[in-house]
Amino acid sequence: MGKILVFVEFNHGQLKRSSLELLSAAQSSGQTVVAAAVGSLAEGISKEASQYGATDIYVIKETTFDKYNPELFTLGLTEIIKKSEASLVLATASALGKDLFPRVAARLDAGILSDCIELKISGDNVTAKRPIYSGKCFSKVTFENCPIKIVLMRPNQLPISVPNASATTNVIAHSVNAPSLRTLIKEVVKGTSEKLDLTEANIIVSGGRGMKEAGNFKFLEQLADVLGATVGASRAVVDAGWVTHDLQVGQTGKTVAPSLYIAVGISGAIQHLAGMSGSKVIVAINTDANAPIFQKATYGIVGDFADVLPKLTEEFKRAMA
Amino acid sequence: MKFFVCIKQVPDTETKIKVGADQQIDPAGVKWVMNPYDEYAIEEAIKQREKNPGSQVWVVTVGPKARTAEALRTALAMGADEGILIDAPANLEPQITAKALSLVIQQEGGAKVVFTGRLAIDDNASSVSQMLAEFSNFPHTTVVSKFSMDSENVTVEREAEGGQCEVVQMATPAVVAANKGLNMPRYASLPGIMKAKKKVLKEVSIDSLGFSLVAKTKTLALELPAEKPPVKLMSGEISAQVSSLVQLLRDEAKVL
Ligand SMILES: Cc1cc2nc3c(=O)[nH]c(=O)nc-3n(C[C@H](O)[C@H](O)[C@H](O)COP(=O)(O)OP(=O)(O)OC[C@H]3O[C@@H](n4cnc5c(N)ncnc54)[C@H](O)[C@@H]3O)c2cc1C
């Protein structure tokens, strides 16, 4: 039986939901699960990682690992993967994971499947499902000819198991002897939003050109506040400068797969659908009953955002109270 | 000084995808275009050439020559100087594509900067740029929306989660994977298209590169998304519609 290494990410001293999903999937496979975390605060999440099944946790505590540097992280992670002797590595298809692990795979001559939405681990056999062609098709894939397999999972795809409060873990500190690096992180400018990133959000409230003007996004923000949701947007409004590009959902924006996606004043162009058709439930609010978004939606209201949104926000307030 | 741009030809987003009996994408009726992110990569390389007299922009692609030459011609028409077509079967694994690209770039005397798109919209792997950097032993940055260069370094801005922006400096040669927002790609003009016809388009076969990398993943099946049941439209007064919607989300869909 092999060993599974889960690369975990954390925020404010807590593991991200997506990392809990990975630990839970690893644990339910019945194999030995170890975790890896990096940064000066990494050791702080060892207890939580143990509660989701990690028996060992490899940590790199150097402060140089507080900021993502592809060159340095590739070195650190390849060393840990080798040291752990894991045959399967799980990580989130996050901004960091998607950048880092293809390079790690190339260095280790490992197989890699990125952006997966389903994962089955049975002994040495690992199969996954990935959206391709902008979500218009899914490919079921497996590994062959590789001793090390790497799977990058999209957030919000796997169940989270019940934590075992009494579990403990063995912390293994790893230090990296970094050569002189050619990559220098000059500055990290935080985003303006305190909200969860779109790619991690469980509920998204998105607005399009039908919102008429930038100022009307406040209706979406009020609704999002009630739902604990993150606000998204179509390209039309990003290009119009109403909101910044990090809010754009779609082929040239972010790919999201929340439990609930509420599209307001968005027509449902193929390039927008490419970024959100993996959502579990889609609600469309649009004045045009023939808008293509209704063909993808689970529920719909044909109406003007200005009439619908204030009432909807009030109704959600009551429902969530 | 050479700027390389690695491009891929992909089905147009509007193309309806069908799965053939052989569990491959049915090529009938597919409209092929240059991967949209690669346009930003080409534009940036051309802008840098304009700032660095005497430098050149070379575009390279890996794919079946019968169709991919067209994507290279488009790049040449936008203004690239030369094209290299690495003739290879379609749908290669990212590692193999990356290895072939790194070898050809090396054979052609190396690069100052290798530009790529941050994602190919067909296989959705976002891997080739980083792997190519690894095989070439160059630093890399992906999802780049701002670029500048001096004699030794490039400085780029990378978009990460939550609107976070990372300012990264890399010693050249380096790999830069372009995101939307980096620039406004130019269109291929008519004179550009005419000129492109006379530009050099070299062909190499992937087998002649003399490396062996076995595929490490295997596709078991392709599936189309399940048919969605028709949308449930709310009816009645707005307030009634709103309350039925919330009730359905809570009790039927169970997403609240
Ligand atoms: C290469 C390429 C990449 C692209 N990438 C993306 C991408 O990543 N993301 C993306 O979103 N798009 C992308 N697009 C653009 C896409 O094709 C559409 O143009 C865009 O999604 C349209 O945005 P929209 O739905 O907000 O606007 P529109 O299509 O103009 O739709 C506005 C909708 O609002 C409705 N409406 C009007 N008034 C009201 C009202 N008062 N109340 C409620 N509804 C109202 C209308 O009925 C209409 O359906 C891309 C295009 C290309 C060519």
Side-chain angles (χ1 to χ4, degrees):
Chain A
M1 224 17 125
K3 193 192 258 182
I4 304 177
L5 176 91
V6 179
F7 175 74
V8 295
E9 295 182 44
F10 53 93
N11 218 340
H12 307 302
Q14 275 196 315
L15 287 175
K16 290 193 177 176
R17 266 187 69 91
S18 52
S19 296
L20 298 182
E21 292 179 41
L22 298 177
L23 286 167
S24 302
Q27 189 181 23
S28 60
S29 76
Q31 305 192 26
T32 306
V33 182
V34 300
V38 302
S40 50
L41 302 174
E43 197 171 342
I45 51 82
S46 54
K47 174 87 190 140
E48 199 184 1
S50 73
Q51 293 175 345
Y52 291 89
T55 54
D56 292 337
I57 173 159
Y58 292 85
V59 295
I60 302 178
K61 287 188 272 192
E62 273 119 273
T63 52
T64 45
F65 278 81
D66 285 337
K67 285 187 230 153
Y68 175 57
N69 180 324
E71 219 178 323
L72 187 63
F73 276 51
T74 302
L75 190 64
L77 264 296
T78 45
E79 285 179 4
I80 286 180
I81 294 168
K82 282 193 207 150
K83 195 164 167 180
S84 72
E85 296 183 334
S87 54
L88 174 61
V89 177
L90 302 181
T92 306
S94 58
L96 188 159
K98 281 199 280 193
D99 185 86
L100 171 62
F101 283 96
R103 187 155 195 160
V104 169
R107 188 162 304 175
L108 291 173
D109 201 22
I112 181 165
L113 294 171
S114 66
D115 210 23
C116 298
I117 55 168
E118 262 179 41
L119 172 66
K120 288 205 185 79
I121 308 169
S122 113
D124 280 343
N125 208 342
V126 177
T127 55
K129 195 160 146 180
R130 317 181 48 242
I132 53 175
Y133 299 98
S134 310
K136 285 183 288 187
C137 186
F138 298 97
S139 106
K140 273 182 80 175
V141 263
T142 190
F143 292 94
E144 56 182 11
N145 312 315
C146 54
I148 302 176
K149 311 172 171 79
I150 303 177
V151 176
L152 306 183
M153 287 294 301
R154 266 196 204 173
N156 297 319
Q157 307 298 324
L158 300 166
I160 295 176
S161 56
V162 180
N164 170 4
S166 62
T168 54
T169 188
N170 178 28
V171 176
I172 304 168
H174 181 82
S175 60
V176 175
N177 226 335
S180 67
L181 297 171
R182 287 163 299 168
T183 313
L184 184 70
I185 311 305
K186 304 267 283 186
E187 197 184 348
V188 176
V189 186
K190 286 262 170 262
T192 43
S193 172
E194 293 287 299
K195 300 267 172 58
L196 265 184
D197 188 72
L198 278 173
T199 53
E200 294 170 73
N202 200 34
I203 303 183
I204 293 173
V205 180
S206 246
R209 186 152 32 206
M211 293 300 295
K212 300 287 191 252
E213 54 179 283
N216 289 332
F217 262 64
K218 67 172 187 282
F219 290 109
L220 299 173
E221 278 150 22
Q222 286 158 0
L223 177 56
D225 282 343
V226 171
L227 292 170
T230 301
V231 171
S234 73
R235 174 165 171 171
V237 311
V238 171
D239 288 354
W242 299 358
V243 298
T244 48
H245 179 248
D246 58 296
L247 298 194
Q248 183 179 319
V249 172
Q251 185 190 290
T252 43
K254 293 198 169 138
T255 304
V256 301
S259 302
L260 175 59
Y261 188 93
I262 305 182
V264 189
I266 292 179
S267 60
I270 186 101
Q271 295 89 352
H272 189 80
L273 300 176
M276 47 64 81
S277 60
S279 309
K280 273 189 206 95
V281 173
I282 297 170
V283 171
I285 300 170
N286 197 305
T287 41
D288 176 8
N290 294 319
I293 188 76
F294 285 116
Q295 288 162 27
K296 289 282 165 193
T298 327
Y299 305 113
I301 292 183
V302 179
D304 192 308
F305 77 87
D307 301 329
V308 177
L309 286 183
K311 290 204 169 72
L312 188 59
T313 304
E314 285 311 309
E315 191 68 29
F316 274 126
K317 253 190 212 160
R318 272 195 289 279
M320 313 289 276
Chain B
M1 182 160 66
K2 253 184 227 161
F3 299 103
F4 269 90
V5 188
C6 304
I7 67 169
K8 187 175 190 184
Q9 193 187 42
V10 299
D12 184 65
T13 320
E14 313 266 356
T15 291
K16 197 167 157 58
I17 295 293
K18 287 172 285 181
V19 178
D22 56 353
Q23 278 297 312
Q24 298 275 345
I25 298 296
D26 183 353
V30 172
K31 181 179 167 223
W32 297 96
V33 296
M34 188 194 303
N35 181 46
Y37 292 105
D38 303 350
E39 296 178 8
Y40 301 105
I42 294 176
E43 177 64 32
E44 199 57 38
I46 294 175
K47 276 172 68 178
Q48 294 309 318
R49 182 189 61 198
E50 287 164 356
K51 288 186 190 158
N52 294 276
S55 63
Q56 287 201 321
V57 175
W58 287 36
V59 274
V60 46
T61 192
V62 180
K65 71 174 174 193
R67 62 169 163 81
T68 45
E70 192 193 327
L72 285 177
R73 287 282 171 215
T74 306
L76 294 173
M78 281 174 76
D81 298 295
E82 288 198 28
I84 304 176
L85 196 162
I86 307 175
D87 184 27
N91 305 319
L92 288 178
E93 220 170 78
Q95 259 113 318
I96 298 175
T97 304
K99 187 79 190 177
L101 290 169
S102 75
L103 288 171
V104 164
I105 292 170
Q106 196 187 355
Q107 278 178 9
E108 297 295 338
K112 173 79 175 164
V113 181
V114 181
F115 292 98
T116 65
R118 72 135 165 112
L119 168 79
I121 63 166
D122 57 351
D123 70 7
N124 183 36
S126 44
S127 297
V128 167
S129 320
Q130 302 93 305
M131 291 172 167
L132 155 66
E134 174 64 19
F135 292 135
S136 308
N137 194 20
F138 296 166
H140 79 260
T141 306
T142 58
V143 202
V144 168
S145 55
K146 204 167 174 188
F147 178 92
S148 65
M149 191 182 89
D150 63 28
S151 56
E152 277 144 37
N153 297 304
V154 298
T155 304
V156 300
E157 287 186 15
R158 163 179 154 81
E159 231 178 85
E161 258 114 28
Q164 178 170 307
C165 164
E166 301 166 359
V167 184
V168 184
Q169 180 187 301
M170 296 183 287
T172 56
V175 175
V176 170
N179 194 19
K180 179 195 170 227
L182 179 60
N183 49 43
M184 287 289 282
R186 67 195 67 195
Y187 289 104
S189 63
L190 195 58
I193 294 168
M194 298 312 289
K195 265 197 233 159
K197 293 193 174 138
K198 295 191 202 99
K199 289 184 182 168
V200 180
L201 206 167
K202 230 198 276 187
E203 263 180 43
V204 281
S205 132
I206 194 164
D207 299 326
S208 74
L209 295 174
F211 71 95
S212 71
L213 268 186
V214 289
K216 295 180 176 65
T217 62
K218 189 167 91 182
T219 302
L220 299 170
L222 296 181
E223 293 168 3
L224 296 177
E227 281 289 325
K228 243 192 151 112
V231 57
K232 285 189 187 167
L233 286 181
M234 307 301 118
S235 59
E237 294 278 314
I238 294 279
S239 38
Q241 293 199 34
V242 159
S243 76
S244 348
L245 175 63
V246 172
Q247 193 190 344
L248 285 166
L249 289 174
R250 191 182 49 206
D251 302 334
E252 186 180 80
K254 299 192 167 57
V255 287
L256 292 186

